[in-house]
Amino acid sequence: QVQPVESGGGSVQAGGSLRLSCAASEYIRSRHCMGWFRQAPGKEREVVARIYSASETPFYADSVKGRFTMSRDTAKNTLYLQMNNLKPEDTAMYYCAAPRKGQFPLCNRPEDFSFWGQGTQVTVSS
């Protein structure tokens, strides 16, 4: 299976913006959902945003609501995460992920996902 590939991370100052991309191969069209996660040093991996194949409406963690926007381009098999008004606490490695084909998990926890990218680092300085 081809793994998702994230890009677009970097270092920004608080209040800045970044746009992450995830080249998701066939996952976008064939999987029940796709998710963006992040993991800061010493912390557990947490879901940032998720979107279901049957819906156009993403779901967001409370910590990023109103600042982050998840979208997808099925023609390009690409997932995006637009991050605005970044805060130092957003500093983490960001991952996109997909569940196994034919599985229909809730998609709100890492255990629901089987295919992960290598991650892209986001660092926000104050």
Side-chain angles (χ1 to χ4, degrees), residues 1-125:
Q1 297 267 1
V2 176
Q3 302 303 115
V5 179
E6 304 92 341
S7 61
S11 297
V12 297
Q13 291 191 327
S17 298
L18 285 172
R19 187 194 195 203
L20 305 185
S21 298
C22 172
S25 186
E26 49 81 30
Y27 294 111
I28 283 184
R29 300 186 184 189
S30 69
R31 304 308 158 99
H32 171 57
C33 62
M34 293 289 296
W36 280 104
F37 289 78
R38 67 185 180 187
Q39 188 167 20
K43 294 189 177 181
E44 293 185 353
R45 191 168 295 190
E46 61 174 353
V47 61
V48 173
R50 65 193 191 274
I51 190 168
Y52 297 90
S53 59
S55 172
E56 294 297 324
T57 305
F59 293 85
Y60 300 97
D62 288 342
S63 58
V64 306
K65 276 181 184 176
R67 301 188 298 120
F68 289 15
T69 302
M70 181 180 187
S71 61
R72 63 189 173 196
D73 185 331
T74 54
K76 295 182 179 180
N77 286 331
T78 302
L79 206 61
Y80 301 99
L81 187 68
Q82 177 67 44
M83 306 185 297
N84 298 328
N85 191 22
L86 283 160
K87 303 177 180 181
E89 51 264 41
D90 295 318
T91 295
M93 187 72 81
Y94 284 71
Y95 303 87
C96 70
R100 292 190 183 279
K101 194 172 185 178
Q103 291 188 345
F104 302 90
L106 292 176
C107 307
N108 59 359
R109 56 179 190 162
E111 293 81 0
D112 292 336
F113 294 81
S114 299
F115 301 101
W116 296 83
Q118 82 289 349
T120 186
Q121 178 68 38
V122 171
T123 302
V124 185
S125 58

